[in-house]
Amino acid sequence: MHKNCVTIGEKTCEIGGDLLDLLVKKKIDLVLQGHEHGYMRSKQLALSPDCPSIMINSTNSKCIKKSGNTFKKSDGTIIAISGAGGKNLRDINLDDSEKEYFQTWNGSNIGNSYGFSMFNISKDRLISEFVPATNDYTDSFFIN
């Protein structure tokens, strides 16, 4: 989808918290978004009795199922915002209250790498890799 909800760029929750919660409740493995001019990848998010809803403009650490780069299918949702392919990169806001939801980020003030996300998908695994066109920021993650 184009628009975002949780982000550490300049955008706000444009899709609405209800849609984000539905995606996480249904355990959609990967939500791929754009709209921010940078790259950000969340940790794996999941709803639970301690996290009935993903908090917007704040962070509920109990909504974070797992951090890292290797995840199990259907255990939660990863949000990958891949918008570093053309327009001028924007700053990453390290003071953003949603920062704890994110595993890694790249923008004009951190990483400063233009690039794209490449996916390799088989029946058993999804591999995502941020491929830099400039500078050397990289990221990869796996859903098995």
Side-chain angles (χ1 to χ4, degrees):
M1 75 177 63
H2 179 64
K3 298 209 174 176
N4 315 108
C5 192
V6 293
T7 171
I8 52 174
E10 68 177 40
K11 300 297 181 183
T12 59
C13 185
E14 296 176 295
I15 66 167
D18 289 343
L19 178 55
L20 177 61
D21 285 345
L22 178 64
L23 296 168
V24 176
K25 180 181 178 182
K26 295 291 185 180
K27 297 183 180 179
I28 303 299
D29 292 310
L30 175 63
V31 175
L32 184 59
Q33 298 176 324
H35 205 41
E36 285 286 10
H37 296 273
Y39 175 86
M40 298 157 221
R41 176 176 56 89
S42 76
K43 299 169 183 173
Q44 192 175 45
L45 306 177
L47 300 181
S48 69
D50 292 328
C51 172
S53 179
I54 302 296
M55 292 180 75
I56 310 301
N57 299 320
S58 185
T59 299
N60 178 352
S61 61
K62 295 182 189 299
C63 298
I64 299 170
K65 173 83 176 191
K66 187 172 189 264
S67 60
N69 70 344
T70 303
F71 305 97
K72 185 177 174 192
K73 181 181 177 358
S74 300
D75 267 5
T77 301
I78 298 160
I79 299 168
I81 301 172
S82 188
K87 209 155 170 120
N88 291 341
L89 297 173
R90 294 185 184 133
D91 283 352
I92 299 296
N93 181 359
L94 294 177
D95 294 324
D96 192 291
S97 59
E98 297 168 339
K99 179 183 167 199
E100 190 180 340
Y101 286 138
F102 288 89
Q103 182 72 43
T104 187
W105 45 81
N106 165 64
S108 61
N109 59 331
I110 299 169
N112 198 31
S113 291
Y114 287 87
F116 61 93
S117 293
M118 180 172 63
F119 298 91
N120 184 332
I121 302 170
S122 69
K123 85 174 201 178
D124 299 320
R125 175 184 275 190
L126 180 148
I127 303 169
S128 175
E129 180 181 1
F130 180 83
V131 180
T134 61
N135 298 321
D136 58 358
Y137 172 84
T138 61
D139 180 44
S140 61
F141 65 93
F142 311 86
I143 301 173
N144 298 309

